[in-house]
Amino acid sequence: MRFISTLIIVCLVLALSSCGGGGGSTPLGPPSGTAASMFTSLNGLRTANGAAALANNAQIAAIAQAQADRNASIHANSTFDASGKGVDERMQAAGINVVDWIVPVARGNDAEATDRWTNTQVERDLLYSHKWTDMGIGMALDGGVQRWVVIMVQVGP
């Protein structure tokens, strides 16, 4: 299961990087939105597509924010910290009982990031999955460009 989650994350990062989610030179709009407004927006999209709204998990949001800060500092999208620990390892270290997880990352304003995350059926299926229970979002500025990290998790008992 962990291998499948890791594979999904790698595929999402690669897919998003190839469509402007990475560090490419695609012109981007001016920064807009906050982690809080993105949380509300993504939950709105989920409920509009038949999925439950997710709980705002402060521990997961702190990990997402730390990753967004890291991504801004390295001018790229990643799911690993400076020591090489993945988001999943940091959630486990924080005591979060993670059953499964995804980490969509993107660069651009809130509308551009959302467009990237809903660009294909595969991405929509992942975002609107009924298995997710909790979400945390981080956003950091990389010059004038926003770096977004969304962590959706199925938390176990």
Side-chain angles (χ1 to χ4, degrees):
M1 180 58 94
R2 186 175 213 177
F3 172 76
I4 292 171
S5 292
T6 302
L7 182 60
I8 289 170
I9 298 306
V10 169
C11 290
L12 258 178
V13 169
L14 291 175
L16 290 171
S17 294
S18 69
C19 69
S25 60
T26 304
L28 300 170
S32 63
T34 63
S37 66
M38 181 65 81
F39 183 89
T40 300
S41 175
L42 289 179
N43 262 339
L45 286 171
R46 285 181 54 80
T47 58
N49 285 278
L54 302 179
N56 190 356
N57 186 307
Q59 286 180 293
I60 295 170
I63 293 166
Q65 185 59 54
Q67 189 62 55
D69 292 338
R70 163 86 174 143
N71 292 353
S73 74
I74 64 172
H75 313 293
N77 287 331
S78 175
T79 59
F80 296 93
D81 67 10
S83 70
K85 289 185 180 170
V87 168
D88 60 326
E89 294 171 284
R90 288 178 275 155
M91 288 189 291
Q92 292 290 352
I96 302 166
N97 184 16
V98 177
V99 175
D100 202 2
W101 52 278
I102 62 168
V103 185
V105 295
R107 64 189 274 277
N109 64 34
D110 55 352
E112 292 163 330
T114 302
D115 286 346
R116 287 181 182 97
W117 295 327
T118 57
N119 195 13
T120 69
Q121 189 63 48
V122 170
E123 291 165 324
R124 288 188 297 275
D125 288 348
L126 286 169
L127 289 174
Y128 307 148
S129 173
H130 293 273
K131 68 182 168 183
W132 311 130
T133 59
D134 294 57
M135 178 168 52
I137 299 177
M139 187 279 294
L141 286 175
D142 178 358
V145 176
Q146 290 170 286
R147 296 267 176 192
W148 297 93
V149 175
V150 176
I151 303 174
M152 292 183 177
V153 178
Q154 179 185 10
V155 176

